[in-house]
Amino acid sequence: MFGSKLNRFLVCILLSIAAGKLHDLNADPLTLYALDLQKAREWGQFQPNSSTNLNRLTELLLLSDELRLYEDFAWIQLLHYEKTGAGEYKSAVKSERFFFDPKGKVNPRAELQATIRSFFVTEEIPVELIHPLCSYPARYLFLKKHLHFEFFDISKVRCERYENWKNSLNVNSVTLVFASHYLQSPASFFGHTLLKLNQNKNANSQTELLDYGVNYAADARNYNPISYAYLGLTGGYQGRFYLFPYFLKVNEYNDLENRDLWEYKIGLSEEETNILISHLWELSRAEFNYYFLNKNCSYQLLDWLEIAKPNLDLKSNLGVVISPVETIKLLLSKNELIFDKQIRPSLYSEIKSKLIEMNGEEKELFWKLTDFTNNHLDTDSLIRNFPKIRSDLVLDATLETYRYQKNRGIEFPESAKQKYKQLLKMRSQIPGENLSYKLSFDFVTPPESSHPMGRVSLGGGYSNLGSFLEWKYRFAYHDLLNSSMGSPPNGELVFLDGTVRNYEGKKPELTSFSLMRILSLHPYNFISKQLSYLVDFGWQTVVFSKEKELFGQVRPVEELNPYYRKQVSNFEAAFGYTFADEFSKFAPRFGMISVLAGSKFQSNPSFETGARIGPNIQTIYQKEFGNWKFLGSVVAQHYAFSRNPNTVTGSLKLRYLFSDTAELRLELFSERFYRELNLSFHYLF
């Protein structure tokens, strides 16, 4: 989600070329910021020397009050005002220089009048700054439309810097881009959205990668996991809009991070597009508090779109948690707003689709060619030994595999580089413009096909501690038994997942609560040697025996039910490998199996030493067939080092999918002192 320092450097250079002079959209030096703020305050109280201009100003101020423009929805949007609990307005913009009036952040009327005054400024503008009319072109368009007055007739200024910038963008339409979930970075767990600014000349020449993109992101320079999570959840980071060449993000997402891009073209009129771009210029002066769960990239992009097209009424339909996926669904729900959709597959998806397309002989040749470290391989003669293969298909997949592995940090010897050049030469000699193969990306599902984030469930079952009823609530987002369509493939993203149970004859109790559970089971293969991992943090129920145990020695106690339950804090982390036949046309035919090794820590006074910690090894098997999915796991946990007995836990789960919002699950669970059978219905919303 965050641009690299190199990306920012390139952006600044490209913008300076486009605008004719250096103008960094991201930040100003402190001295320039102070001067800008000082002049904004002066201009917001401007009084014309000319009696004619003074009369005109007075008339416009009275007219704006008469029309109550400060209450107009478009004005409220332009200043990013939000209603507080007391029913008053407060702007989400944190930058003081975004406002001409000292009270402009909380007073729409004061800021409207200060803006009108600033547009009458006729004094000489400091060379580092620009006239208010040039700083706020969207505000100018709003006031001109409602007041029917041409402010440029007063100041006689020319906004060359703004016009050069706008002309360099030359935007004729916009596209919303969704970058798929990326479980290797906490900032990208939920995916990411950005806006692509389309130019006619690039669309016609098939060079749309040269278009510009706009990204809203947090300026998160502290990557300490604890502070990162805390600041991200509490608004401790500052969010800004960034402008960049689109190909930089395609390179970052498609090639480096293995993320598919879904592009949705938005239907905006020429006037609406003009307002959108005008306000983007104004946003160069704005900073916001960034919240990972709601005031994030998707929220700000929707807010920006609403300024251009107020009748969309987008934000009022948002929930407490705002995910990129949900915003895609929201835009698609608006009639005729999205009129074109296409996928830009990642480099890995390109390779995978080619391997799925290959027959057995072509795959055999591919695996031989991708052994880049084999110095004795005669490429020419090898290909001649496979006369019936589609050479362009095999060579394309081989060359892409080299690029993919190089992007992943593999250092190839000089012989491999020479082999790559040889393969490139062979590929260039294959005649014909049309490919001998056609690819399908059916295994990549669009984000709008995903299930809703929230979940509630009702179930019940039987255990050796008695029958029980069960209620579950999950704040977000996805577990392995949910439908995988449009969601993180082979992964779990679970936040605030709680279970309340009522055992027979007992009071209801909170039996488990997961603050966060992240599981990534990316298949390991010759092409992508990526580890799987698990992180789980929260509380669990542990069943204890009333018999005194010490290093496995048991002293029996005669009692009808020798077991009792306790809630314990829990932290677990593990790493390992996942294996699947993902390159088969019927993948995965045999399901997926994962082997992880890690450690678990639990704390409760009922443990022998107040806590238990130890290594574990676990195996997870999953297989999806139609609306059914089977999930099984076995965990062997070693606790003897902390003077607690070792445990072996096993579970079998079966899910049936009625729709993307309704599931039925049957689960069997067994551990040292506890066994249960559970049937539950899950509703997702």
Side-chain angles (χ1 to χ4, degrees):
M1 184 178 290
F2 309 119
S4 65
K5 292 182 178 178
L6 175 60
N7 286 2
R8 294 183 183 180
F9 175 71
L10 289 172
V11 169
C12 291
I13 291 179
L14 287 167
L15 283 173
S16 66
I17 294 174
K21 57 181 72 177
L22 185 61
H23 181 71
D24 183 359
L25 276 179
N26 301 333
D28 286 333
L30 290 178
T31 52
L32 181 58
Y33 185 99
L35 177 62
D36 196 12
L37 176 59
Q38 174 192 339
K39 299 306 292 185
R41 292 291 185 263
E42 292 178 8
W43 292 335
Q45 303 299 319
F46 183 76
Q47 288 284 99
N49 294 325
S50 163
S51 60
T52 302
N53 288 348
L54 182 59
N55 291 334
R56 289 175 179 175
L57 173 60
T58 303
E59 291 173 1
L60 292 178
L61 292 177
L62 291 173
L63 180 58
S64 68
D65 272 349
E66 180 182 339
L67 297 175
R68 303 183 72 86
L69 292 184
Y70 52 87
E71 294 179 346
D72 191 285
F73 181 74
W75 179 254
I76 298 300
Q77 288 292 97
L78 278 175
L79 275 297
H80 300 269
Y81 288 118
E82 299 172 343
K83 280 287 186 71
T84 64
E88 298 177 346
Y89 284 110
K90 184 177 182 180
S91 176
V93 178
K94 299 302 176 184
S95 315
E96 292 186 11
R97 64 176 181 151
F98 191 73
F99 306 97
F100 288 108
D101 191 275
K103 297 181 180 179
K105 184 176 176 63
V106 295
N107 192 325
R109 180 178 179 273
E111 184 60 24
L112 179 73
Q113 295 205 340
T115 301
I116 295 175
R117 288 181 179 278
S118 73
F119 287 175
F120 273 76
V121 167
T122 54
E123 67 181 41
E124 185 177 353
I125 307 297
V127 66
E128 299 90 349
L129 306 181
I130 57 179
H131 193 278
L133 278 167
C134 305
S135 295
Y136 294 99
R139 295 192 198 184
Y140 158 72
L141 292 174
F142 170 82
L143 291 172
K144 179 183 177 182
K145 175 182 178 181
H146 291 280
L147 298 178
H148 307 287
F149 183 79
E150 181 52 78
F151 292 93
F152 281 97
D153 291 342
I154 302 296
S155 62
K156 307 297 183 183
V157 298
R158 296 182 59 192
C159 302
E160 294 182 356
R161 191 181 304 180
Y162 166 67
E163 292 298 333
N164 289 339
W165 174 84
K166 183 180 178 182
N167 292 335
S168 69
L169 295 181
N170 191 25
V171 180
N172 74 290
S173 64
V174 296
T175 296
L176 186 69
V177 181
F178 173 81
S180 62
H181 314 80
Y182 183 57
L183 298 185
Q184 307 305 311
S185 170
S188 305
F189 284 162
F190 294 100
H192 181 57
T193 51
L194 57 116
L195 214 62
K196 177 171 170 282
L197 308 179
N198 307 316
Q199 299 181 2
N200 258 335
K201 63 176 183 179
N202 293 334
N204 297 334
S205 60
Q206 300 298 310
T207 55
E208 68 276 7
L209 288 179
L210 298 179
D211 290 334
Y212 285 90
V214 179
N215 188 35
Y216 176 79
D219 186 14
R221 301 174 185 176
N222 184 352
Y223 286 92
N224 176 281
I226 297 177
S227 61
Y228 184 82
Y230 174 76
L231 293 174
L233 293 172
T234 59
Y237 288 123
Q238 295 300 301
R240 298 183 180 90
F241 283 84
Y242 296 89
L243 181 68
F244 52 85
Y246 184 54
F247 71 84
L248 291 178
K249 282 298 177 184
V250 171
N251 176 67
E252 177 185 348
Y253 290 150
N254 266 174
D255 297 348
L256 300 181
E257 296 183 353
N258 185 31
R259 301 169 71 177
D260 301 303
L261 299 177
W262 290 90
E263 299 176 347
Y264 302 83
K265 200 166 186 179
I266 302 175
L268 296 179
S269 67
E270 182 178 348
E271 179 184 357
E272 291 166 343
T273 302
N274 185 36
I275 294 175
L276 190 80
I277 301 306
S278 299
H279 190 58
L280 174 61
W281 176 265
E282 297 178 350
L283 288 172
S284 66
R285 306 165 66 86
E287 294 179 353
F288 304 81
N289 285 345
Y290 193 104
Y291 295 86
F292 286 168
L293 295 182
N294 42 36
K295 299 295 181 65
N296 50 27
C297 61
S298 290
Y299 176 88
Q300 294 294 354
L301 288 182
L302 290 185
D303 189 41
W304 184 26
L305 285 174
E306 264 194 356
I307 290 173
K309 204 176 182 72
N311 60 346
L312 283 179
D313 190 26
L314 296 172
K315 293 187 296 182
S316 63
N317 295 302
L318 297 174
V320 177
V321 175
I322 302 171
S323 75
V325 171
E326 296 304 311
T327 57
I328 296 293
K329 293 180 180 179
L330 178 58
L331 289 172
L332 287 170
S333 70
K334 302 295 181 179
N335 292 334
E336 300 180 355
L337 178 62
I338 304 295
F339 63 92
D340 185 40
K341 178 182 76 172
Q342 65 179 12
I343 182 177
R344 191 180 297 276
S346 67
L347 184 57
Y348 186 79
S349 292
E350 289 273 6
I351 299 169
K352 182 176 178 178
S353 65
K354 291 178 174 63
L355 280 167
I356 292 175
E357 172 66 19
M358 290 181 190
N359 57 39
E361 192 176 39
E362 289 166 340
K363 284 184 179 178
E364 181 183 352
L365 175 59
F366 169 81
W367 294 121
K368 290 180 180 294
L369 290 177
T370 51
D371 184 7
F372 297 111
T373 59
N374 188 346
N375 298 328
H376 305 290
L377 191 65
D378 187 344
T379 305
D380 289 324
S381 61
L382 179 63
I383 292 181
R384 286 195 295 269
N385 291 333
F386 293 87
K388 296 183 179 181
I389 58 98
R390 290 168 287 183
S391 299
D392 55 350
L393 172 61
V394 176
L395 287 173
D396 286 345
T398 304
L399 293 169
E400 287 172 351
T401 299
Y402 180 91
R403 283 176 49 211
Y404 176 83
Q405 293 180 339
K406 188 173 180 62
N407 289 340
R408 303 292 294 181
I410 294 179
E411 292 292 336
F412 289 108
E414 186 61 33
S415 59
K417 298 177 183 177
Q418 293 302 319
K419 180 180 177 181
Y420 175 73
K421 293 179 180 179
Q422 182 184 3
L423 293 173
L424 275 176
K425 183 178 180 181
M426 294 177 63
R427 179 63 181 92
S428 66
Q429 294 172 350
I430 298 178
E433 295 181 0
N434 296 326
L435 297 174
S436 65
Y437 61 91
K438 186 176 181 180
L439 299 180
S440 172
F441 296 94
D442 293 340
F443 57 88
V444 183
T445 52
E448 66 268 20
S449 64
S450 65
H451 60 78
M453 291 191 304
R455 183 201 67 181
V456 292
S457 73
L458 174 64
Y462 178 78
S463 73
N464 61 312
L465 296 181
S467 301
F468 60 87
L469 290 176
E470 176 183 85
W471 298 268
K472 287 186 176 182
Y473 172 79
R474 183 181 72 204
F475 190 63
Y477 170 55
H478 172 79
D479 64 43
L480 282 181
L481 279 180
N482 289 139
S483 170
S484 59
M485 293 188 64
S487 299
N490 313 311
E492 284 190 351
L493 286 172
V494 175
F495 296 92
L496 305 181
D497 186 7
T499 302
V500 174
R501 281 188 175 181
N502 187 187
Y503 285 88
E504 57 180 333
K506 305 289 185 180
K507 294 181 179 180
E509 58 183 279
L510 181 67
T511 54
S512 68
F513 186 76
S514 180
L515 288 173
M516 178 182 68
R517 178 178 171 85
I518 303 170
L519 176 64
S520 175
L521 302 178
H522 189 282
Y524 181 91
N525 52 61
F526 173 77
I527 298 173
S528 179
K529 299 178 174 62
Q530 191 164 312
L531 288 176
S532 298
Y533 73 91
L534 163 69
V535 177
D536 192 3
F537 178 59
W539 288 265
Q540 293 181 351
T541 292
V542 172
V543 177
F544 293 88
S545 171
K546 294 178 182 178
E547 303 163 336
K548 180 67 175 177
E549 295 187 312
L550 187 62
F551 293 103
Q553 301 298 317
V554 178
R555 185 175 68 206
V557 175
E558 294 183 2
E559 190 173 333
L560 290 177
N561 193 340
Y563 306 115
Y564 64 99
R565 303 182 303 276
K566 287 289 184 180
Q567 280 68 54
V568 305
S569 60
N570 177 79
F571 177 77
E572 181 178 4
F575 297 88
Y577 299 97
T578 296
F579 304 96
D581 58 331
E582 62 172 332
F583 302 134
S584 165
K585 288 184 182 293
F586 310 99
R589 290 176 299 175
F590 309 112
M592 300 180 64
I593 187 166
S594 306
V595 180
L596 306 175
S599 181
K600 180 191 283 280
F601 170 82
Q602 293 181 327
S603 176
N604 188 276
S606 295
F607 292 127
E608 180 67 29
T609 57
R612 63 180 184 178
I613 185 172
N616 63 36
I617 185 169
Q618 55 185 295
T619 300
I620 303 171
Y621 174 78
Q622 53 178 314
K623 169 65 177 175
E624 193 164 10
F625 40 98
N627 289 345
W628 296 89
K629 184 167 186 178
F630 174 79
L631 181 65
S633 68
V634 177
V635 182
Q637 182 72 54
H638 185 79
Y639 285 130
F641 293 143
S642 57
R643 299 172 62 188
N644 287 276
N646 299 328
T647 64
V648 176
T649 303
S651 68
L652 299 174
K653 302 179 181 180
L654 186 66
R655 177 266 285 161
Y656 179 76
L657 194 68
F658 294 103
S659 67
D660 64 344
T661 60
E663 302 175 356
L664 187 67
R665 299 186 181 187
L666 179 65
E667 304 175 55
L668 178 65
F669 178 80
S670 176
E671 65 172 6
R672 183 179 177 86
F673 298 128
Y674 184 74
R675 290 164 300 282
E676 74 172 37
L677 178 67
N678 185 7
L679 180 67
S680 58
F681 175 79
H682 297 245
Y683 175 73
L684 296 95
F685 61 94

